[in-house]
Amino acid sequence: MMSFEEIRRKEKIRILPEFQKIATGDPLRVGVLFSGGPASGGSNVAAGIYDALMAVNPKSELIGFLGGPSGILEEKFKTLTLSEIDLVRNLGGFDLLGTGRTKIDTPDQFEKAKEVIQRINLDGLVIIGGDDSNTNAYFLHDFLLKNEVKCSVVGVPKTIDGDLKSKDVEISFGFDTACKVYSEMIGNICIDAKSSLKYWHFIKLMGRTASHVTLECALQTCPNIALIGEEIAKEGRTLKQIVTIVADTVDERARDGKNYGVILIPEGLIEFIPEVAGEIPAELLEDRDSHGNIQVSKIETEKLLSKMVRDELKRRGSVAKFNPTYHFFGYEGRCGFPSEFDATYCYNLGMNAALLINNGKSGVMAAIRNVAKEVTDWKPSSVELGPILVEEMRNGKMKKVIAKALVDLQGPVFKSFLLQREQNRLQDNYKRPGPIQFSGPLKEITTITLFLEHN
Ligand code: FBP
């Protein structure tokens, strides 16, 4: 019997009309690498690049750099074969090549990258990454251009965090799948809470500084509380005020006979409330990744918050039977089978990236417009990276970067959340979206965020 993995791998992905007839040309040598955390759909980006290159000329080659950007610096790469690509089609994971967070940004590193690119004679390099990696893609492009090296650098918008988006890049790939995976599990937990009647579930969710993942999962599952970091920052809420909101809810629900509930906490909460930082061991705050980001996934904000809620309930002499239990949903959502949306989006992003290189474009991010609509309405496009860079303080220095897109508190997604927040607090309005669908009428459904933002 064929496994689901084998069946899914062979599934045909829809190709945009623009890519169905590709003009033939000279063979191309293109490099590809994954950068940063995995996100579902990355293997379809590689497959899309591969298939487009072969359509241009079957003598083309796709060279994969191993372990992320360090694969260039350490000269670790291999030519990808059709059978290797076929093994990962429509599956999650960056295991085709591995990924990493090494940054190419010192003069020596640029020089080394240039030397390797020239030696292996690349016509183009595709960097599959988030805001920081696409920023680096721009600077590598700029360096190669100034040094008259004819190698296009093209970025592809990846991150489960959903914080790499603009009017031109409607969504980063991986966000749709990750939110669906988390929402399935959150929905299950909500129903478990309502069945077991005895636990308060504190669920921390990945997403870095931005609360897009938490907001999307809240819309999909209607938990009792979902904290949104951007709102807390804007209102200037203190840790004590947040503890009060949660304790009030626990208390009020207990008085209604409900000693259970579900609360979603974005992992980036800590970045918005300075006092939380005061409660965290200093070494965890000093532990930064190569881009200067605090490693928020390692900080147990959910336990800290629950401990403070317990103390507050005790102080009040509350009748609540407060029995907290903890979850962190993060890595579970980064390598799941890509949703139909991510599988289709990524394959076409990959084709687009290869064809942008074929057309000599560099310093751009591959994009697809109208993705909130039917696939038949999708349109390939590209975004110049240079003009979207802004000056920001990073690691104590002003740097040009792609700004992280945070939750827009005036936008339709947050407004839609506000409409239901108060009701969800005390009532059990839980929704269970169930697992990702790969066939049938629900397979095309995308995130509520994308739908609300573009309809
Ligand atoms: P990217 O920005 O590289 O896409 O990372 C996404 C992410 O999953 C964050 O949500 C999370 O905070 C971080 O990676 C965890 O990093 P690591 O994989 O290094 O533990």
Side-chain angles (χ1 to χ4, degrees):
M1 200 178 84
M2 276 220 287
S3 66
F4 183 33
E5 189 174 322
E6 287 163 313
I7 295 169
R8 183 68 191 146
R9 211 183 265 149
K10 292 190 163 62
E11 206 90 38
K12 283 268 166 288
I13 291 297
R14 271 161 309 163
I15 304 177
L16 300 191
E18 288 80 353
F19 304 144
Q20 281 170 12
K21 275 213 161 63
I22 293 177
T24 53
D26 292 336
L28 292 164
R29 280 175 68 77
V30 170
V32 61
L33 62 86
F34 295 118
S35 181
S40 294
S43 48
N44 271 19
V45 177
I49 302 172
Y50 184 91
D51 292 350
L53 292 180
M54 294 307 144
V56 169
N57 191 311
K59 290 202 176 111
S60 295
E61 276 188 82
L62 179 61
I63 292 124
F65 289 97
L66 307 179
S70 64
I72 301 185
L73 305 177
E74 293 165 11
E75 301 184 43
K76 290 186 180 151
F77 51 83
K78 65 175 180 185
T79 300
L80 291 164
T81 62
L82 177 61
S83 52
E84 281 171 305
I85 294 285
D86 281 346
L87 269 182
V88 296
R89 282 180 199 271
N90 302 336
L91 303 185
F94 283 3
D95 49 330
L96 174 69
L97 300 170
T99 183
R101 296 196 183 276
T102 302
K103 218 173 146 184
I104 300 180
D105 74 340
T106 66
D108 284 356
Q109 287 172 327
F110 281 132
E111 195 52 52
K112 175 74 191 182
K114 177 182 110 172
E115 186 201 302
V116 173
I117 285 168
Q118 283 182 307
R119 182 146 35 83
I120 62 174
N121 209 8
L122 289 187
D123 299 299
L125 173 67
V126 182
I127 296 185
I128 303 172
D131 52 323
D132 292 326
S133 312
N134 275 283
T135 298
N136 292 345
Y138 173 76
F139 286 111
L140 181 59
H141 142 81
D142 192 49
F143 183 84
L144 296 176
L145 191 70
K146 285 181 181 142
N147 285 276
E148 294 175 6
V149 178
K150 248 184 129 268
C151 170
S152 301
V153 183
V154 172
V156 175
K158 167 239 64 158
T159 179
I160 65 149
D161 301 344
D163 58 359
L164 173 54
K165 65 174 166 184
S166 62
K167 70 174 190 358
D168 299 318
V169 178
E170 294 169 11
I171 189 170
S172 57
F173 81 77
F175 178 74
D176 184 74
T177 305
C179 290
K180 283 176 175 157
V181 171
Y182 303 145
S183 295
E184 180 197 354
M185 294 190 290
I186 296 165
N188 294 349
I189 283 179
C190 288
I191 304 307
D192 191 289
K194 198 177 167 188
S195 308
S196 308
L197 308 167
K198 61 178 177 182
Y199 293 123
W200 261 94
H201 293 272
F202 281 66
I203 307 175
K204 186 177 77 163
L205 288 165
M206 255 190 187
R208 286 196 196 281
T209 314
S211 303
H212 298 294
V213 171
T214 299
L215 188 53
E216 171 65 28
C217 293
L219 289 172
Q220 288 197 32
T221 62
C222 301
N224 302 107
I225 300 178
L227 300 175
I228 303 300
E230 290 83 341
E231 182 193 24
I232 289 169
K234 178 168 172 267
E235 307 272 310
R237 293 214 178 117
T238 60
L239 184 53
K240 190 163 182 301
Q241 285 170 327
I242 296 165
V243 170
T244 305
I245 293 170
V246 180
D248 285 352
T249 309
V250 172
D251 223 0
E252 286 172 54
R253 286 178 61 83
R255 276 187 263 128
D256 197 23
K258 294 173 185 162
N259 280 299
Y260 59 89
V262 177
I263 170 165
L264 303 186
I265 304 158
E267 66 172 9
L269 185 70
I270 176 175
E271 301 197 28
F272 290 116
I273 318 173
E275 299 149 274
V276 176
E279 306 284 334
I280 303 286
E283 63 270 22
L284 281 178
L285 296 173
E286 281 153 21
D287 191 10
R288 308 243 168 173
D289 72 11
S290 56
H291 298 276
N293 300 308
I294 300 176
Q295 313 229 43
V296 282
S297 299
K298 294 186 183 165
I299 300 172
E300 295 182 316
T301 337
E302 68 283 19
K303 291 195 180 155
L304 170 75
L305 187 62
S306 134
K307 186 183 157 295
M308 297 180 88
V309 169
R310 179 189 294 281
D311 292 347
E312 171 62 15
L313 292 169
K314 204 167 157 197
R315 191 191 64 74
R316 295 178 182 188
S318 164
V319 294
K321 287 184 200 131
F322 181 58
N323 202 351
T325 180
Y326 308 104
H327 314 264
F328 169 40
F329 296 153
Y331 300 100
E332 297 84 342
R334 305 197 307 181
C335 290
F337 278 20
S339 61
E340 188 66 15
F341 172 83
D342 271 329
T344 312
Y345 182 42
C346 287
Y347 185 73
N348 286 288
L349 276 174
M351 291 204 116
N352 195 13
L355 297 176
L356 286 167
I357 290 173
N358 193 33
N359 292 333
K361 283 266 188 191
S362 185
V364 296
M365 197 166 16
I368 312 257
R369 310 282 292 265
N370 296 343
V371 289
K373 303 205 164 68
E374 299 282 318
V375 178
T376 44
D377 293 326
W378 292 13
K379 286 276 165 268
S381 68
S382 64
V383 180
E384 295 281 342
L385 287 167
I388 61 173
L389 299 183
V390 294
E391 293 265 352
E392 259 186 29
M393 186 67 83
R394 293 278 170 101
N395 281 344
K397 283 190 199 144
M398 287 309 277
K399 291 220 154 182
K400 280 196 154 190
V401 293
I402 298 174
K404 285 186 197 300
L406 299 181
V407 168
D408 175 6
L409 300 176
Q410 302 307 322
V413 188
F414 187 69
K415 283 190 177 155
S416 164
F417 167 70
L418 284 186
L419 285 179
Q420 40 174 278
R421 172 158 70 184
E422 188 49 30
Q423 283 188 0
N424 292 346
R425 209 167 66 82
L426 301 179
Q427 295 169 21
D428 294 351
N429 290 335
Y430 307 136
K431 286 196 189 127
R432 43 191 139 177
I436 294 179
Q437 303 293 306
F438 296 97
S439 61
L442 298 181
K443 77 169 182 179
E444 311 259 334
I445 285 186
T446 175
T447 56
I448 299 173
T449 300
L450 183 66
F451 180 82
L452 291 175
E453 280 177 345
H454 294 278
N455 275 300

